[in-house]
Amino acid sequence: MVGMVFRFHGLEVSGFVIPRFSGDGCFAGTELPRPHDTRPRARRKQSIHDSWLMERRRSSAIDHGACGDLAAELTARFPDDPHPIHTVYIRRPFSSIAHHFHVLITFALFSIPIGLLLLAPRRARNHPLSSSFPSDAQTTDDDKDDETASKMAPKKKIAIMTSGGDSPGMNAVVRACVRMAIYLGCDPYCIYEGYEGLVRGGDLIRKMEWHDVRGWLSEGGTLIGTARCMAFYEREGRLAAAKNLIAHGIDALIICGGDGSLTGADRFRAEWPSLLDELVEKGEFTEEEVTPYRHLNIVGLVGSIDNDLSGTDATIGCYSALQRICAAVDLIEATASSHSRAFVIEVMGRHCGWLALMAGVATGADFIFIPEKPREDNWREEMCRIVENHRKRGKRKTIVIIAEGALDREGNKITPQMVRDLLADKNGLAIDTRITTLGHVQRGGTAVAYDRMLATLQGVEAVKAVLDATPEMPTWVIAITENKIVRKPLMQAVQDTKKVAAAIESQDFDLAMSLRDAEFAEQYRSFMMTTAVQVNKEMLLPEKDRMRIGFINVGAPAGGMNAAVRAGVAYCLSRGHEPIAIYNGFAGFARHHDDQPVGSVRPFDWLEVDGWASKGGSEIGTNRELPSESGMETIANLIEQYRLDALFLIGGFEAFHAVSQLRKARDQYPSLCIPMTLLPATISNNVPGTEYSLGSDTCLNELVEYCDKIKQSASATRRRVFVIETQGGRSGYIATLGGLGVGASAVYTPEEGITLDMLATDVKHLKDVFAHDKGQSRAGRLILINEKASKVYNARLIADILRDEAHGRFEAREGIPGHMQQGGVPSPMDRCRAVRLAIRCIQHLEQFGRGVHNRVKNDPMSATVIGIKGASVVFTPIQKLEEEETDWPNRRPKTAFWLPLTEIVDILSGRPKHKKPEPELTGLKAKDVKRGLDDL
Ligand SMILES: Nc1ncnc2c1ncn2[C@@H]1O[C@H](COP(=O)(O)OP(=O)(O)OP(=O)(O)O)[C@@H](O)[C@H]1O
Ligand SMILES: O=P(O)(O)OC[C@H]1O[C@](O)(CO)[C@@H](O)[C@@H]1O
Ligand SMILES: [Mg+2]
């Protein structure tokens, strides 16, 4: 270090110091012993950043000399640093900004590697868009293309920040944005500490590399920090933020936060032109310098556990928080039931009742309080009436869920204490009552599979939106409607969100409800119907319209089956229908209906069913037998014998096949001319007519949790790859979505198949990746393979091939989670969707009424599948699905909506492009080709 001259003031590094500016245009550093400094090395390095950055000026040094030596010197200082310094650029003092050089030092801080950027330029090294896939092995070669840099257009710099309360999935957002930006030839930056980082600038704005975000999918919270920043509420703060963005040459900003953060973003966007004018006026920049930034390119991502932004069905993190809440309520139920107690559980949601509402639906709570829909003035009597009704029916536990922002109709806060006092009132219900406040437990922990998927896909979409943006376009927020990721105008979403608050304020609660997403109001009605069973007599249908509805589960168990039965039964009871349980599928129906003392066909007992909201498996039993196997005539006779007016089926591909068989047999057996509908429930998610089946979310959570653990083991062992076999039949949905959630290096699906070419590419890729991994990095890798991806290659064989090909350079093992993937307790999403879709199914069946055999026979809508398709919930006639949309030999839909996601899994894991397998020749063509009678 001695001999190099620095211009920076009192800059210290453990072991050497960079002295004051000497005024002679060159730099020097001197070794200094630091015996007193006991801080860990990373902390000491942080202090260099801090003090150096305090020294920096826009117009300070520009020089390119000696940087190679300095990088080598700094690397030598920190030999065991996992992220060595590649390049140091130094500026000569008072040079013009127009020289377009920058100072960059890459240090490592704790586990977060940092690209330290000083005086970021508009200059960049450009990777053409057509460049090969970025991979873990090839991403940090910044210095290679220096000579070409000056000839190319500047690279776009995209900054990502997280803001407001942290939420699980924010790290997945950052990972997706960083890697997608690199993939598309841009430079990603992270703004640390939310708006605070934007206002303060300096080293809170850092360039990111591909490997910087490795392993982030499974981390909770936000690793780039977040804050509630007071300064950003003020124009002064926003002015500083604008200055920092331009100073760092940032072209676009992706903000992931809740309603507040996006309101702030919208305000920033609206003020931007005047902020730039003010910066020019104050002499911070010239007009030419700000010209490239005249259009502020912002994209919002909604990251919040509260699910409080209008225009999107889900926010990143809300399902993870719901998972924590439901897990806690499920646990509390056992103790509540044991003591016959009531529990008042307070959940987060300052201005939004989504968490409380969904928790109420998913756990089958007795009563909820949410800000958007305060109870009538007589809420005390209403709650007591419902709780009393439940207790009279024999319920031993009472669960009341209250959002922290719960209000009464006059806008007064309803507190858990008020509710407790009411339930415990000695002159009233006199129930032994406790309060549990869940607090920040709800925000903690790793993201559930859905949030990882949402965060990743929305992150990718945000980068694309940034690159598509033109000044004429509105500023987008990335939303999700049902199953579809969509761009919506941020301004509209923010305005609608503000309207919710205003509507609550002005006590227009219907408006407040309608301004939330469509599911919100529907779920509220679902909750009311399932909790106030037979309390509200207005719900009852006239006698003549009441039906006997058979409930039957078919296929393998799937999370949410019981919740669907519970909701369907509760709805039937509210309407005066008679819900009939058919135990153990068609096999039970055909062969055990007259067993004694109880046969397989019997009315439901509401008290028993009411406890099924959170139960896994299938309480009424399920199996794969088809009506044709049980005997179609027997089934038809039984339907007649039990006077069933409708059939509600819940299950997977076998259930689909069963409805198809029943429909086709209608000509022969008139008793089958009753309305029937199928609610898809299978972890494989392979039922035609829907993009989502109950149980698939539970399965993905199990798979992701399993893979996280395996990956941790692989990472601890350093250079090891696990090949995980997933279930899913001939559908690669679970493998692909699981791969998206855990960042798999490769996913093998039956839709694509496996070839030697693919394996060879993946082996080479893994070798490259491991060769570039430093020993210290979190190097474990996963490959996911569906159980039927190939007739030849299975998890064990692929692991053996990898191990053999590694020639001792890395290890490979297989892992098979098997039936664990069916899950224990169903996920809240499966439970909530089960409730909503089951109620829709019964509503669909009840439209037909009783004894309408002829009408039913000619109406394609009388045998249907309910499904979520894109942005809507739809019923599709089974005949259409059977004939047009089903790949019968492979037992899956002809088109898999999720197939394009495989590319995203590959892009984000840096998997190289591989040759796709040829389509399989079958039948006569295959025979003739093999005999040489036809062309290949
Ligand atoms: N009206 C506003 N004007 C300017 N900045 C704002 C505005 N509202 C919020 N912000 C900025 O966004 C930050 C986060 O907002 P807030 O605390 O409301 O959290 P949030 O984004 O809604 O997240 P969550 O509610 O999930 O915790 C604020 O600290 C502030 O810096
Ligand atoms: O952690 P803090 O800043 O106290 O914020 C708690 C608030 O954050 C939120 O969880 C949203 O993240 C609100 O529901 C809650 O009121
Ligand atoms: Mg908020």
Side-chain angles (χ1 to χ4, degrees), residues 259-260 308 350:
D259 59 343
D308 53 4
R350 272 178 296 178

Side-chain angles (χ1 to χ4, degrees), residues 80 157 603 633 675 874:
D80 52 359
K157 292 182 178 179
E633 191 171 343
V874 286

Side-chain angles (χ1 to χ4, degrees), residues 353-392:
W354 188 89
L355 284 173
L357 169 59
M358 295 298 162
V361 172
T363 60
D366 299 80
F367 209 77
I368 59 168
F369 291 93
I370 58 173
E372 295 84 350
K373 185 83 180 168
R375 299 301 189 136
E376 297 300 325
D377 292 339
N378 64 346
W379 64 264
R380 290 176 177 80
E381 294 82 59
E382 192 192 359
M383 181 178 79
C384 291
R385 200 172 61 244
I386 288 178
V387 170
E388 193 177 13
N389 175 38
H390 291 172
R391 290 271 166 172
K392 274 194 187 140

Side-chain angles (χ1 to χ4, degrees), residues 163-167 170 195-196 226-234 238 256-265 267-268 303-308 350-351 443 498:
S163 170
D166 62 298
S167 70
M170 282 182 161
Y195 285 119
E196 198 65 44
T226 183
R228 302 200 194 272
C229 168
M230 288 308 131
F232 202 74
Y233 285 100
E234 308 300 326
R238 296 193 291 278
C256 179
D259 59 343
S261 303
L262 298 182
T263 305
R267 205 163 164 195
F268 194 40
S304 166
I305 64 161
D306 288 358
N307 202 1
D308 53 4
R350 272 178 296 178
H351 311 293
R443 273 211 322 237
K498 283 185 186 156

Side-chain angles (χ1 to χ4, degrees), residues 601-709:
V601 184
R602 49 194 134 119
F604 283 103
D605 167 11
W606 182 81
L607 184 60
E608 188 189 351
V609 176
D610 190 52
W612 292 359
S614 55
K615 278 211 151 78
S618 166
E619 289 294 313
I620 61 169
T622 185
N623 58 63
R624 297 183 189 272
E625 190 166 296
L626 294 171
S628 61
E629 293 163 327
S630 315
M632 192 58 83
E633 191 171 343
T634 314
I635 299 298
N637 290 342
L638 287 169
I639 287 179
E640 195 166 5
Q641 180 185 328
Y642 286 103
R643 294 175 292 108
L644 297 181
D645 300 309
L647 210 51
F648 175 37
L649 299 96
I650 305 171
F653 199 87
E654 284 88 3
F656 176 81
H657 197 172
V659 180
S660 160
Q661 289 189 343
L662 294 171
R663 183 198 69 77
K664 286 182 182 158
R666 276 173 170 175
D667 281 338
Q668 231 180 324
Y669 305 105
S671 65
L672 297 180
C673 294
I674 54 170
M676 49 186 85
T677 198
L678 166 65
L679 170 48
T682 163
I683 67 164
S684 308
N685 200 17
N686 61 344
V687 178
T690 187
E691 292 172 5
Y692 160 84
S693 301
L694 297 182
S696 55
D697 185 60
T698 303
C699 168
L700 283 172
N701 281 345
E702 290 292 335
L703 189 60
V704 160
E705 209 176 298
Y706 174 91
C707 287
D708 276 355
K709 287 176 188 159

Side-chain angles (χ1 to χ4, degrees), residues 466-484:
V466 152
L467 295 177
D468 291 349
T470 63
E472 298 73 42
M473 283 183 186
T475 297
W476 301 118
V477 61
I478 312 295
I480 185 162
T481 308
E482 298 291 359
N483 219 19
K484 200 171 166 52

